[in-house]
Amino acid sequence: MTGIFTGSFDPYTIGHDDILRRALPLFDRIVIGIGVNERKSYMQCAEERMKTIKAIYADEPKVEVKTYSDLTIDFARRENARYIIKGVRSVKDFEYERDQADINRELSGIETLLLYADPRYSAVSSSMVRELIHFGQDVSRYLP
């Protein structure tokens, strides 16, 4: 069974890594889908993000990394995925992801699996890491 783990991953944090590793036992294959939205600006280009994430999972044969620029459900269909994997850090994340899951299921029948963030990582977000980088802070402890 295949699941997709999607996001912009700009950058890919220890929180993302924790969710992926906890989801691994549930699937035969997980495709990390790096979403590319032309209306959004990124700190790293998609190729850099993909290279970084591939290196993290170089020894994990169940993980693949790809980019996509269309709807997540279309990406899921191309990958023959029955599940979308998402991490939830807060009530705000939960409400957003629940709405997305409802629409995705209505349009495609694809289910979303929500995994709650480990409390150690609940404050870690890509936007927080980008902000720290902008102000010259060492962010190595937030990156896998």
Side-chain angles (χ1 to χ4, degrees), residues 11-14 56 124 129 133 139-144:
Y12 193 80
T13 70
I14 56 174
I56 294 167
V124 178
V129 172
I133 290 170
V139 296
S140 59
R141 69 176 166 250
Y142 303 118
L143 304 175

Side-chain angles (χ1 to χ4, degrees), residues 21-143:
R21 291 189 189 279
R22 288 170 39 214
L24 268 175
L26 306 174
F27 295 93
D28 300 316
R29 173 179 172 249
I30 295 179
V31 182
I32 298 174
I34 301 169
V36 178
N37 182 339
E38 60 191 38
R39 295 171 294 188
K40 205 172 168 186
S41 61
Y42 297 102
M43 183 181 71
Q44 297 178 309
C45 71
E47 292 75 24
E48 289 171 346
R49 288 179 276 158
M50 187 160 56
K51 180 181 174 184
T52 299
I53 297 168
K54 279 184 175 183
I56 294 167
Y57 302 106
D59 295 329
E60 180 48 70
K62 291 170 54 171
V63 175
E64 298 174 29
V65 184
K66 299 181 179 184
T67 62
Y68 72 101
S69 58
D70 53 349
L71 291 174
T72 298
I73 57 173
D74 293 332
F75 177 66
R77 286 179 182 132
R78 281 195 305 280
E79 296 302 323
N80 296 312
R82 294 174 44 202
Y83 295 92
I84 299 167
I85 304 159
K86 299 299 282 190
V88 176
R89 294 172 294 143
S90 65
V91 170
K92 181 180 171 185
D93 282 356
F94 174 79
E95 290 179 352
Y96 176 81
E97 295 300 347
R98 182 196 56 211
D99 291 346
Q100 292 295 308
D102 289 346
I103 294 297
N104 288 338
R105 187 178 56 254
E106 179 184 325
L107 293 174
S108 68
I110 296 170
E111 291 286 350
T112 299
L113 175 66
L114 299 178
L115 294 177
Y116 293 99
D118 183 306
R120 294 174 295 169
Y121 309 128
S122 63
V124 178
S125 69
S126 293
S127 57
M128 181 268 304
V129 172
R130 285 193 308 273
E131 183 80 0
L132 292 173
I133 290 170
H134 175 78
F135 288 103
Q137 296 297 307
D138 176 20
V139 296
S140 59
R141 69 176 166 250
Y142 303 118
L143 304 175

